[in-house]
Amino acid sequence: MLNNTRFAAASALCVGLLLGVTQANAAAKCINGERKPPYTIGWANIYSVPTWMKQTQGTIEKEVEELKKQGLVDKLVVTDAQGDANIQIQQIQSMIDSDIDAIILIAGSSTAPARVLADACAKGIAIINFDSLVDTDQVTAKVNTDSAEWGASAAKFVVDSIGGKGNIIVLNGPAGISVSDDRRKGATPVLAAHPDVKILAETNTAYNTAPAQEAVTSLLFANPEIDGVLSLGGALSAGAILAFDKQGRPMVPMSGENARQFLELWKEKDLKAWATMQPNWLGAFAAYAAVQALQGKDVPAFVKVPLPIIDNSNIDEYLARAADFPADGYIYSPYDQALFDKLLAQ
């Protein structure tokens, strides 16, 4: 009887230890503890043409090189869906079929990839979704800044800068894009709380300087008195400045983003301005988080990345690094592993 008791106790201890190892190796969603380094990471890119996307991929590639040096990653597989959500789904399926270890993605649709991502999750593939997010919870983690907070902060800056009274124009990104829509939704209650701020006109354009300049030029002809510009994108702000300058109109307070051209024009024209950013290093962080999850680390289901703020007090710090970034690119904030670990500690 005693021997049986000891055997049962020993068996229970072994089972407990095994369960403990399994749980430790599967601390994050989709992780089953069976995948071992070096890992293959897939970057399911929705499109690669915009400079922001190119810079983002650059941070992913740099991070992967660091992980290779540590023996944790052996390969990065990159796909480009060229803006087609259905093609992106097919490319993700191909990654699953090749038994990839991790997938990082900016989603071309919030709903369409649900089934293929659930399949990947069931197979123990780490999935880190950043920037444009999916509705499903069948991913290891979602990573993003708060776009609504982005819009609210931009609106507050413009409202405060014009003393809570005056005429403004609003510049949005493409209609239907979640980031653009969420920024505008965030601005709405701030504007509604200030009835003396009148929205003269509102536009939706691609996040490029040329179409924004053309749109703002039309608005300038139609509106002789504009006191502020609520711009919810950096290239949009650059286009607005060029339009104001070409028409000989005085510069007004303006919000924006960390586009290099906007920051340089801001300084050149001595604007009263404000900006934040969607840091390109979200891509690098996604790669790092995927590897941490595969190693059994407890990665949060959602990682909220604080919005860096650029204003007249620190714009020179960003412009001092301008030469390190493309002329049509974004001057993003510095990052390192210590920052990534701090974000994962949420």
Side-chain angles (χ1 to χ4, degrees):
M1 185 71 174
L2 182 59
N3 288 339
N4 287 341
T5 301
R6 286 176 176 172
F7 177 77
S11 298
L13 177 60
C14 289
V15 170
L17 290 172
L18 287 171
L19 285 174
V21 171
T22 301
Q23 289 168 354
N25 288 338
K29 194 175 182 74
C30 307
I31 307 303
N32 57 23
E34 297 176 359
R35 297 177 179 275
K36 305 302 178 187
Y39 306 111
T40 298
I41 296 178
W43 162 222
N45 194 356
I46 184 58
Y47 46 47
S48 61
V49 173
T51 304
W52 190 90
M53 298 296 285
K54 292 176 182 176
Q55 288 184 264
T56 298
Q57 181 166 318
T59 72
I60 295 171
E61 293 169 343
K62 182 179 179 181
E63 182 62 28
V64 165
E65 288 305 310
E66 290 300 314
L67 294 168
K68 283 182 177 179
K69 293 175 185 177
Q70 300 171 38
L72 296 173
V73 172
D74 64 350
K75 186 174 15 175
L76 175 66
V77 176
V78 179
T79 58
D80 179 3
Q82 298 181 2
D84 190 320
N86 290 321
I87 292 177
Q88 185 179 49
I89 291 169
Q90 295 168 14
Q91 292 170 338
I92 292 172
Q93 184 62 59
S94 294
M95 291 181 181
I96 297 171
D97 294 342
S98 67
D99 198 31
I100 207 160
D101 297 302
I103 297 171
I104 57 178
L105 79 150
I106 293 177
S109 166
S110 61
T111 56
R115 183 201 59 77
V116 74
L117 293 177
D119 187 23
C121 186
K123 289 178 169 58
I125 298 172
I127 307 166
I128 310 295
N129 174 209
F130 70 100
D131 188 62
S132 183
L133 304 182
V134 292
D135 289 341
T136 178
D137 65 352
Q138 296 301 297
V139 298
T140 304
K142 297 177 183 179
V143 178
N144 215 356
T145 57
D146 189 328
S147 291
E149 181 185 338
W150 199 120
S153 298
K156 184 177 185 304
F157 165 79
V158 173
V159 168
D160 289 348
S161 295
I162 63 174
K165 182 178 182 180
N167 300 321
I168 68 170
I169 57 175
V170 180
L171 311 181
N172 300 299
I177 299 297
S178 62
V179 170
S180 176
D181 292 348
D182 289 346
R183 289 175 185 177
R184 185 61 182 88
K185 288 175 185 176
T188 297
V190 177
L191 297 174
H194 296 85
D196 289 333
V197 175
K198 181 181 179 182
I199 300 175
L200 297 174
E202 196 158 348
T203 68
N204 290 90
T205 67
Y207 289 118
N208 289 311
T209 302
Q213 181 178 355
E214 183 178 351
V216 174
T217 297
S218 296
L219 296 182
L220 291 174
F221 282 124
N223 299 280
E225 293 185 13
I226 297 175
D227 302 304
V229 177
L230 174 55
S231 170
L232 299 174
L236 308 182
S237 307
I241 295 172
L242 293 174
F244 269 76
D245 192 48
K246 190 170 184 178
Q247 297 300 317
R249 297 279 286 268
M251 295 295 162
V252 298
M254 185 180 304
S255 62
E257 201 173 9
N258 58 313
R260 175 178 169 179
Q261 185 180 17
F262 169 50
L263 299 187
E264 290 177 335
L265 287 168
W266 168 354
K267 185 69 176 180
E268 177 187 334
K269 304 298 181 183
D270 194 26
L271 261 68
K272 183 176 185 181
W274 173 99
T276 186
M277 71 182 73
Q278 185 76 332
N280 297 90
W281 51 255
L282 294 183
F285 176 69
Y288 181 78
V291 170
Q292 294 298 298
L294 287 166
Q295 290 187 288
K297 304 296 176 60
D298 190 7
V299 174
F302 184 84
V303 180
K304 181 180 177 180
V305 177
L307 287 166
I309 300 302
I310 306 170
D311 57 23
N312 286 76
S313 71
N314 65 355
I315 184 175
D316 288 340
E317 297 173 20
Y318 284 84
L319 289 175
R321 298 183 294 116
D324 298 332
F325 298 88
D328 61 344
Y330 294 78
I331 305 175
Y332 51 81
S333 54
Y335 66 95
D336 55 20
Q337 184 176 323
L339 171 61
F340 290 173
D341 288 338
K342 182 177 179 181
L343 290 172
L344 288 177
Q346 292 181 34

